[in-house]
Amino acid sequence: MSIVIEPPRTAKPKRTNWEKWGWIYMRVSGVALIILVFGHLFANLWVGEGIKAIDFAFVAGKWSDPFWQVWDLLMLWLALIHGTNGMRTIVNDYAEREKTRKRLVWILWATCVALIVLGTLVIYTFDPCPANGTPENLPSFCPVNQS
Amino acid sequence: MPSKPAGTLYRGKVGMWSWVLHRITGVAIFFFLLVHVLDTSLVRLSPEAYDVVIATYKTPIIGLAELGLVAAILFHAFNGIRIILIDFWSKGSKYQNAMFWVVVSIAFVIFAIFTPRHLGNVFG
Ligand code: HEM
Ligand code: HEM
């Protein structure tokens, strides 16, 4: 005689398991970030003169291209949420008092949201030829440099 | 009741140190990113403001710190893959020790290729 255990053996959890989704997110975003962050470092530190070439005109050149806009947008969202959720794990490990823990986690997510909003606005309201720029600081394709 | 855990498989070995390093590098990259989104946002203030601040990225001291950042990212990224393999690959935990040394080796090789070029850009 064998015992038959009728499925489902455990009751289905009624609420969303946020810890599980957080765990999955860390892995999925991690794989995507390898491409995004290494691509970013390759373009900005390796190609040409690397760090020496970076200035306003360099950024203007990159963000005139929707490819790099989307690249940076994805990197911004994925890295900040990944990093914030990782920091949350660490706070959960070390914060002794429940009140301190709650407060720190709240600060982490507030910072995350603020920087995501800021970074997204920066990418999509960016003007490569602003009126307050002098010709030397502006990229060569700006009207002030075309004469 | 034992006074302290004796002879665990985990304490003081590769499993523990890779975790410590993963944690420290993750925190370091996180704090860099907070500052980095702020410094990049200066492009919306004025081209001059951005150029002045990004000039500090080219100074010798920050230039050397960037090597540290790159090293942290190399380790964190490849060790991240190691963690994912331990979770999902059936032989992952069997080879976790070997995979740690693969992670360190790949990170080291890329770092060794990157460093002279970066130093050339910073000091050249
Ligand atoms: C020393 C190394 C680094 C340098 C020199 C650098 C440089 C830059 C530059 C010039 C930009 C402007 C746009 C562009 O070029 O794409 C930028 C944007 C950005 N970088 Fe980096 N970066 C570095 C490391 C990193 C790392 C390690 C991360 C991720 C963890 C990162 C994440 C970002 C993000 C998310 C943006 C977009 C910011 C926004 O939306 O306002 N960067 N970076
Ligand atoms: C480059 C690609 C990256 C990969 C493959 C990766 C992978 C991972 C993985 C697999 C974990 C473990 C999650 C868990 O144990 O549940 C993790 C944790 C973490 N990551 Fe990343 N990550 C990457 C980039 C980043 C970046 C850019 C940041 C910072 C903004 C970051 C910050 C953290 C932090 C703070 C933790 C928590 C560490 C801990 O709990 O000890 N990671 N990462």
Side-chain angles (χ1 to χ4, degrees), chain A residues 23 27 34 38 46 48-49 51-52 54-56 59 83 87 90 93-94 115 122 125-126 132 134 137, chain B residues 23 27 30 34 41 43-48 50-51 54 57-58 73 81 83-84 87-88 117 121 124:
Chain A
W23 186 91
R27 280 142 187 83
I34 292 178
F38 284 169
W46 182 266
E49 291 200 284
I51 187 76
K52 250 204 170 156
I54 296 179
D55 56 13
F56 182 86
V59 180
M87 292 297 288
I90 297 173
D93 279 356
Y94 299 126
L115 286 176
V122 165
T125 64
F126 180 72
N132 66 355
T134 53
N137 288 297
Chain B
R23 187 157 269 200
V27 174
F30 176 75
L34 299 190
S41 69
V43 294
R44 290 291 287 110
L45 205 60
S46 80
E48 280 79 8
Y50 183 78
D51 286 355
I54 212 68
Y57 274 63
K58 306 170 192 179
I73 289 172
I81 302 179
I83 296 175
I84 295 169
D87 291 336
F88 291 106
R117 179 151 177 158
N121 288 331

Side-chain angles (χ1 to χ4, degrees), chain A residues 40 44 54 62-63 72 75-76 119 123, chain B residues 32 36 50 73:
Chain A
H40 185 63
N44 291 4
I54 296 179
K62 272 182 90 177
W63 281 351
D72 285 352
M75 188 167 58
L76 175 80
I123 295 174
Chain B
F32 166 79
H36 186 51
Y50 183 78
I73 289 172

